[in-house]
Amino acid sequence: IAVSLMIYAGFIWMTSNGDPTKIKKAQGIMINAAVGLVIILSSLSITQFILSRLLEATGAGGPGTTSSPSGIITPLSSALGAGIIDTHYPARNQTGIPRNTNIAVTFRREMNPTTIVPEYDAANPSALSSLNTEAVRIYYVDVDDLDGDGDTDEEVELLGEEVDVGVTADNKTFVFNPNVTLGSAEAMVWYTVELTNDIELADSSESIFRSGGYAWTFQVSTELDLVPPTVESVIPLPNTINARNILVQINYSEAINPISAVGQAPSPFTNITLLTIPVGDGTPSGNWMLGNAFRTSEFIADAACGVNSCGETITCLPANVLSNIEAKAAGRVDPDAFEAVFPYSGLVDMAGNRLDGNNNGVPDETDSYMWSFHTNNEIVLVEPRVTTLTPPLDGNLPAANIPFDQAVRLRFDSALQVSTVNADNVILHSPTEALWFTSTANLIAGTPPVHEVTLQHRSFSEDLLYGAEIDSGLRSVYQNCFTPSRSQACTGPNCCNEASSSVACAYPTL
């Protein structure tokens, strides 16, 4: 516009034939165009400055954020991994989510549950209660009149009284259960979950966020999930003899509802049972946990039996016994359907489908999953070791020119305790520490089976140095910690870009 005005003013001046009135008019147009251009450029600079500071404060900014090819701005995101949030379901920007899904979030520290569930009952935390919509907002933007009110303007449709909440006993995982079907049968809908500063830590009035809060979106499909979850693999393997400090793991085909899978055994939690023959001192007591983005159950016994290389207590199953595990299918609403009854008497997925333990696609009384293994009197005390890295190192230097969306992967020489594959022990560093990330563990079959840890993250930015760190809190399936830190090329006690070091690694390391 400024160029056009200058050309127009120049034309008036050139054709004025010395007329003072026309010359003055042309000069006025030029001056006004120049002033307008200065004002616009100044406002652009001011706006960019303010936005960059706001984005840095909410975890989306920092140097280089806009130099990624996608140019995606992700405000209210850095609390995932680098902050208070360990994981959630659905994942950030996940698509194809069924309309009958539940939503779950796991925090790294214990929360004050009454700030999310005002009617929280400590005696029965998993009981579904109403949601505090000032602390957690779940909504979509109505642009297609999905609610049928005739209004096609953009309008925030908030789920309030339609959502119930259950809490695990440790007050770290919250499950949000919409008692309405999400989305539409005709169109896919993007939902947003926003966690606000009204959420507080346990025994404290301190907000869990440094600023702003945390929000993520996911896309709900047009379909319902009527497919039951199945068991994909287990540790220990069936009919094997194992050291008594091994952990019990069950890996599922999809995310499992934490309310159905987490608790103290043998009582009050009975949805998964572990019985030994001979009984000896009785049924082993311990905790059933749910990790690996809600896809792996893990039993950790209470009975101490030694220490690992970090001086931490390890626990054991009874020695020289046959252990029988049963992962139970929940009761049904309809005998011919997989939909479960709440409170759950067995395992269900995030859509309420009960476990299909025998993987026959037919709901019946045989749907529990069972297997057996033996223990001996041995205790394994060998720490896990890294075998491969992605992206790889270039000698002892970081890889260069990797894709902006490159997942970070670390493969180990043993199976891992998946409850330790979390943001406390598997860390992705960035120059501003504002990069959201989340970790999962994929079990790879073999003798022995091993885990590969994958870190997903916000898009990398151009020409910045990133780093992955595995802390000593990471444990193997035999509860041995990652100390001394070792790989095929480095013997520790600390490994900094595959170079042994007697002191902790500094970031960045070149």
Side-chain angles (χ1 to χ4, degrees), residues 22-46:
K22 290 185 176 180
I23 293 174
K24 185 175 181 180
K25 177 181 178 181
Q27 290 174 335
I29 293 173
M30 289 181 175
I31 292 172
N32 289 337
V35 171
L37 186 61
V38 170
I39 292 173
I40 289 172
L41 294 177
S42 299
S43 66
L44 173 64
S45 300
I46 294 170

mmCIF file of all heavy atoms in Angstrom, residues 22-46:
data_model
loop_
_atom_site.group_PDB
_atom_site.id
_atom_site.type_symbol
_atom_site.label_atom_id
_atom_site.label_comp_id
_atom_site.label_asym_id
_atom_site.label_seq_id
_atom_site.Cartn_x
_atom_site.Cartn_y
_atom_site.Cartn_z
ATOM 1 N N LYS A 22 -1.244 21.143 -6.101
ATOM 2 C CA LYS A 22 -1.014 19.733 -6.412
ATOM 3 C C LYS A 22 0.289 19.235 -5.784
ATOM 4 O O LYS A 22 0.382 18.091 -5.324
ATOM 5 C CB LYS A 22 -1.001 19.526 -7.924
ATOM 6 C CG LYS A 22 -2.367 19.705 -8.576
ATOM 7 C CD LYS A 22 -2.308 19.360 -10.070
ATOM 8 C CE LYS A 22 -3.709 19.458 -10.694
ATOM 9 N NZ LYS A 22 -3.688 19.120 -12.136
ATOM 10 N N ILE A 23 1.342 20.101 -5.831
ATOM 11 C CA ILE A 23 2.622 19.699 -5.235
ATOM 12 C C ILE A 23 2.450 19.459 -3.734
ATOM 13 O O ILE A 23 2.942 18.476 -3.169
ATOM 14 C CB ILE A 23 3.698 20.772 -5.501
ATOM 15 C CG1 ILE A 23 4.008 20.833 -7.009
ATOM 16 C CG2 ILE A 23 4.964 20.481 -4.689
ATOM 17 C CD1 ILE A 23 4.944 21.963 -7.387
ATOM 18 N N LYS A 24 1.715 20.351 -3.051
ATOM 19 C CA LYS A 24 1.488 20.202 -1.610
ATOM 20 C C LYS A 24 0.685 18.932 -1.315
ATOM 21 O O LYS A 24 0.947 18.222 -0.336
ATOM 22 C CB LYS A 24 0.756 21.427 -1.080
ATOM 23 C CG LYS A 24 0.568 21.433 0.432
ATOM 24 C CD LYS A 24 -0.062 22.727 0.902
ATOM 25 C CE LYS A 24 -0.222 22.733 2.421
ATOM 26 N NZ LYS A 24 -0.839 24.003 2.906
ATOM 27 N N LYS A 25 -0.285 18.647 -2.176
ATOM 28 C CA LYS A 25 -1.072 17.420 -1.986
ATOM 29 C C LYS A 25 -0.192 16.177 -2.129
ATOM 30 O O LYS A 25 -0.289 15.240 -1.327
ATOM 31 C CB LYS A 25 -2.207 17.382 -3.008
ATOM 32 C CG LYS A 25 -3.045 16.115 -2.944
ATOM 33 C CD LYS A 25 -4.147 16.128 -3.996
ATOM 34 C CE LYS A 25 -4.963 14.826 -3.943
ATOM 35 N NZ LYS A 25 -6.031 14.798 -4.983
ATOM 36 N N ALA A 26 0.683 16.179 -3.148
ATOM 37 C CA ALA A 26 1.573 15.040 -3.365
ATOM 38 C C ALA A 26 2.524 14.853 -2.182
ATOM 39 O O ALA A 26 2.770 13.725 -1.717
ATOM 40 C CB ALA A 26 2.355 15.238 -4.659
ATOM 41 N N GLN A 27 3.077 15.961 -1.687
ATOM 42 C CA GLN A 27 3.983 15.879 -0.545
ATOM 43 C C GLN A 27 3.249 15.334 0.696
ATOM 44 O O GLN A 27 3.790 14.531 1.461
ATOM 45 C CB GLN A 27 4.571 17.260 -0.243
ATOM 46 C CG GLN A 27 5.551 17.751 -1.297
ATOM 47 C CD GLN A 27 6.007 19.184 -1.054
ATOM 48 O OE1 GLN A 27 5.302 19.988 -0.403
ATOM 49 N NE2 GLN A 27 7.175 19.533 -1.594
ATOM 50 N N GLY A 28 2.018 15.748 0.908
ATOM 51 C CA GLY A 28 1.241 15.253 2.048
ATOM 52 C C GLY A 28 1.003 13.750 1.974
ATOM 53 O O GLY A 28 1.092 13.042 2.987
ATOM 54 N N ILE A 29 0.690 13.269 0.751
ATOM 55 C CA ILE A 29 0.469 11.823 0.589
ATOM 56 C C ILE A 29 1.749 11.053 0.909
ATOM 57 O O ILE A 29 1.730 10.022 1.598
ATOM 58 C CB ILE A 29 -0.019 11.518 -0.838
ATOM 59 C CG1 ILE A 29 -1.431 12.102 -1.058
ATOM 60 C CG2 ILE A 29 -0.034 10.017 -1.091
ATOM 61 C CD1 ILE A 29 -1.925 11.985 -2.483
ATOM 62 N N MET A 30 2.895 11.568 0.404
ATOM 63 C CA MET A 30 4.168 10.886 0.665
ATOM 64 C C MET A 30 4.496 10.858 2.158
ATOM 65 O O MET A 30 4.917 9.826 2.701
ATOM 66 C CB MET A 30 5.293 11.594 -0.109
ATOM 67 C CG MET A 30 5.244 11.387 -1.609
ATOM 68 S SD MET A 30 6.623 12.219 -2.437
ATOM 69 C CE MET A 30 6.379 11.680 -4.129
ATOM 70 N N ILE A 31 4.303 11.990 2.835
ATOM 71 C CA ILE A 31 4.617 12.056 4.273
ATOM 72 C C ILE A 31 3.713 11.108 5.053
ATOM 73 O O ILE A 31 4.165 10.345 5.926
ATOM 74 C CB ILE A 31 4.474 13.502 4.779
ATOM 75 C CG1 ILE A 31 5.571 14.395 4.166
ATOM 76 C CG2 ILE A 31 4.552 13.543 6.305
ATOM 77 C CD1 ILE A 31 5.388 15.881 4.451
ATOM 78 N N ASN A 32 2.414 11.104 4.759
ATOM 79 C CA ASN A 32 1.469 10.238 5.483
ATOM 80 C C ASN A 32 1.766 8.758 5.240
ATOM 81 O O ASN A 32 1.666 7.926 6.150
ATOM 82 C CB ASN A 32 0.041 10.568 5.062
ATOM 83 C CG ASN A 32 -0.417 11.919 5.588
ATOM 84 O OD1 ASN A 32 0.117 12.412 6.578
ATOM 85 N ND2 ASN A 32 -1.380 12.529 4.908
ATOM 86 N N ALA A 33 2.128 8.415 3.994
ATOM 87 C CA ALA A 33 2.462 7.032 3.679
ATOM 88 C C ALA A 33 3.701 6.585 4.455
ATOM 89 O O ALA A 33 3.766 5.465 4.978
ATOM 90 C CB ALA A 33 2.682 6.866 2.176
ATOM 91 N N ALA A 34 4.707 7.491 4.544
ATOM 92 C CA ALA A 34 5.938 7.153 5.271
ATOM 93 C C ALA A 34 5.655 6.979 6.762
ATOM 94 O O ALA A 34 6.150 6.047 7.403
ATOM 95 C CB ALA A 34 6.989 8.237 5.037
ATOM 96 N N VAL A 35 4.842 7.900 7.334
ATOM 97 C CA VAL A 35 4.494 7.792 8.760
ATOM 98 C C VAL A 35 3.728 6.494 9.023
ATOM 99 O O VAL A 35 3.975 5.779 9.999
ATOM 100 C CB VAL A 35 3.670 9.015 9.202
ATOM 101 C CG1 VAL A 35 3.110 8.813 10.612
ATOM 102 C CG2 VAL A 35 4.520 10.276 9.151
ATOM 103 N N GLY A 36 2.763 6.175 8.152
ATOM 104 C CA GLY A 36 2.005 4.936 8.322
ATOM 105 C C GLY A 36 2.887 3.707 8.269
ATOM 106 O O GLY A 36 2.708 2.757 9.049
ATOM 107 N N LEU A 37 3.866 3.736 7.364
ATOM 108 C CA LEU A 37 4.778 2.594 7.257
ATOM 109 C C LEU A 37 5.615 2.441 8.520
ATOM 110 O O LEU A 37 5.825 1.322 9.015
ATOM 111 C CB LEU A 37 5.679 2.781 6.032
ATOM 112 C CG LEU A 37 6.597 1.612 5.683
ATOM 113 C CD1 LEU A 37 5.767 0.365 5.367
ATOM 114 C CD2 LEU A 37 7.486 1.961 4.496
ATOM 115 N N VAL A 38 6.094 3.550 9.077
ATOM 116 C CA VAL A 38 6.876 3.502 10.321
ATOM 117 C C VAL A 38 6.029 2.949 11.465
ATOM 118 O O VAL A 38 6.485 2.110 12.265
ATOM 119 C CB VAL A 38 7.417 4.898 10.670
ATOM 120 C CG1 VAL A 38 8.013 4.920 12.076
ATOM 121 C CG2 VAL A 38 8.461 5.338 9.650
ATOM 122 N N ILE A 39 4.770 3.378 11.554
ATOM 123 C CA ILE A 39 3.889 2.902 12.630
ATOM 124 C C ILE A 39 3.651 1.403 12.505
ATOM 125 O O ILE A 39 3.708 0.654 13.499
ATOM 126 C CB ILE A 39 2.554 3.665 12.591
ATOM 127 C CG1 ILE A 39 2.779 5.141 12.971
ATOM 128 C CG2 ILE A 39 1.535 3.021 13.522
ATOM 129 C CD1 ILE A 39 1.548 6.009 12.798
ATOM 130 N N ILE A 40 3.399 0.935 11.294
ATOM 131 C CA ILE A 40 3.133 -0.499 11.088
ATOM 132 C C ILE A 40 4.357 -1.335 11.447
ATOM 133 O O ILE A 40 4.255 -2.360 12.135
ATOM 134 C CB ILE A 40 2.703 -0.747 9.624
ATOM 135 C CG1 ILE A 40 1.300 -0.190 9.397
ATOM 136 C CG2 ILE A 40 2.730 -2.235 9.293
ATOM 137 C CD1 ILE A 40 0.855 -0.214 7.960
ATOM 138 N N LEU A 41 5.542 -0.914 10.976
ATOM 139 C CA LEU A 41 6.759 -1.677 11.287
ATOM 140 C C LEU A 41 7.051 -1.648 12.787
ATOM 141 O O LEU A 41 7.513 -2.645 13.357
ATOM 142 C CB LEU A 41 7.938 -1.125 10.493
ATOM 143 C CG LEU A 41 7.853 -1.311 8.968
ATOM 144 C CD1 LEU A 41 9.051 -0.666 8.289
ATOM 145 C CD2 LEU A 41 7.786 -2.797 8.612
ATOM 146 N N SER A 42 6.785 -0.532 13.440
ATOM 147 C CA SER A 42 6.996 -0.449 14.889
ATOM 148 C C SER A 42 6.051 -1.385 15.632
ATOM 149 O O SER A 42 6.435 -2.071 16.575
ATOM 150 C CB SER A 42 6.797 0.995 15.370
ATOM 151 O OG SER A 42 7.718 1.864 14.748
ATOM 152 N N SER A 43 4.787 -1.417 15.215
ATOM 153 C CA SER A 43 3.821 -2.304 15.871
ATOM 154 C C SER A 43 4.195 -3.757 15.671
ATOM 155 O O SER A 43 4.012 -4.599 16.564
ATOM 156 C CB SER A 43 2.414 -2.034 15.341
ATOM 157 O OG SER A 43 2.308 -2.381 13.976
ATOM 158 N N LEU A 44 4.741 -4.088 14.500
ATOM 159 C CA LEU A 44 5.194 -5.460 14.258
ATOM 160 C C LEU A 44 6.308 -5.837 15.229
ATOM 161 O O LEU A 44 6.284 -6.914 15.830
ATOM 162 C CB LEU A 44 5.684 -5.595 12.808
ATOM 163 C CG LEU A 44 6.341 -6.929 12.452
ATOM 164 C CD1 LEU A 44 5.346 -8.067 12.565
ATOM 165 C CD2 LEU A 44 6.917 -6.874 11.044
ATOM 166 N N SER A 45 7.276 -4.938 15.393
ATOM 167 C CA SER A 45 8.391 -5.226 16.304
ATOM 168 C C SER A 45 7.896 -5.371 17.737
ATOM 169 O O SER A 45 8.322 -6.274 18.465
ATOM 170 C CB SER A 45 9.436 -4.101 16.222
ATOM 171 O OG SER A 45 9.942 -3.982 14.907
ATOM 172 N N ILE A 46 6.988 -4.504 18.154
ATOM 173 C CA ILE A 46 6.464 -4.568 19.527
ATOM 174 C C ILE A 46 5.696 -5.863 19.741
ATOM 175 O O ILE A 46 5.847 -6.553 20.758
ATOM 176 C CB ILE A 46 5.565 -3.354 19.811
ATOM 177 C CG1 ILE A 46 6.402 -2.063 19.808
ATOM 178 C CG2 ILE A 46 4.840 -3.517 21.146
ATOM 179 C CD1 ILE A 46 5.567 -0.799 19.829
#
